[in-house]
Amino acid sequence: QVQLVESGGGLVQPGGSLRLSCAASGFTLNYYNIGWFRQAPGKEREGVSCISSSDGRTNYAESVKGRFTISRDNAKNTVYLQMNNLKPEDTAVYYCARAPRYYDNLPLRSSAYNAWGQGTQVTVSS
């Protein structure tokens, strides 16, 4: 059974940091690119970052470049999203998802992804 389970969300003050984890099971992680998405109340789901299946290439939305870092540990079947200098507008439910590795351009559009986690809430507020 394919599963993606996010963890690490919470409440943090502006300027703070959080590290999200995405634990994968039921499939071979290094066959897939993994992406992080977020959805704020009343807004569409937004692609945040993607990491390639095996060579470490990454892609980021402009809104998070320089603040967020995606990484993966295939041996642990886990992908991470380190979020620094968090802003109130980063508040959202964050999801991880998998896309087949033939998506070589590391897309940030939802339609490329075929399995999703349940999400973890990130709230940035003073």
Side-chain angles (χ1 to χ4, degrees):
Q1 180 183 1
V2 172
Q3 276 196 314
L4 294 158
V5 180
E6 303 92 340
S7 62
L11 173 64
V12 63
Q13 292 186 343
S17 297
L18 282 174
R19 188 176 81 156
L20 305 183
S21 298
C22 171
S25 61
F27 64 98
T28 303
L29 186 63
N30 61 3
Y31 286 179
Y32 292 87
N33 302 327
I34 301 296
W36 283 96
F37 290 77
R38 65 187 181 186
Q39 188 165 21
K43 294 189 177 181
E44 292 188 355
R45 189 170 295 186
E46 172 192 19
V48 173
S49 183
C50 179
I51 188 166
S52 66
S53 59
S54 58
D55 64 6
R57 289 179 300 119
T58 58
N59 187 23
Y60 295 94
E62 286 296 324
S63 58
V64 306
K65 276 184 181 178
R67 300 189 298 123
F68 290 11
T69 302
I70 190 171
S71 61
R72 65 191 294 158
D73 186 337
N74 286 341
K76 294 183 178 179
N77 290 332
T78 302
V79 175
Y80 305 98
L81 185 68
Q82 178 67 43
M83 305 186 297
N84 297 330
N85 190 21
L86 283 160
K87 304 176 181 180
E89 52 263 41
D90 295 318
T91 295
V93 177
Y94 283 71
Y95 302 87
C96 63
R98 70 171 197 183
R101 60 185 176 183
Y102 54 71
Y103 284 104
D104 195 56
N105 62 344
L106 309 183
L108 296 180
R109 66 182 191 280
S110 300
S111 60
Y113 294 77
N114 60 20
W116 294 80
Q118 83 291 345
T120 186
Q121 176 70 47
V122 172
T123 302
V124 184
S125 175
S126 54

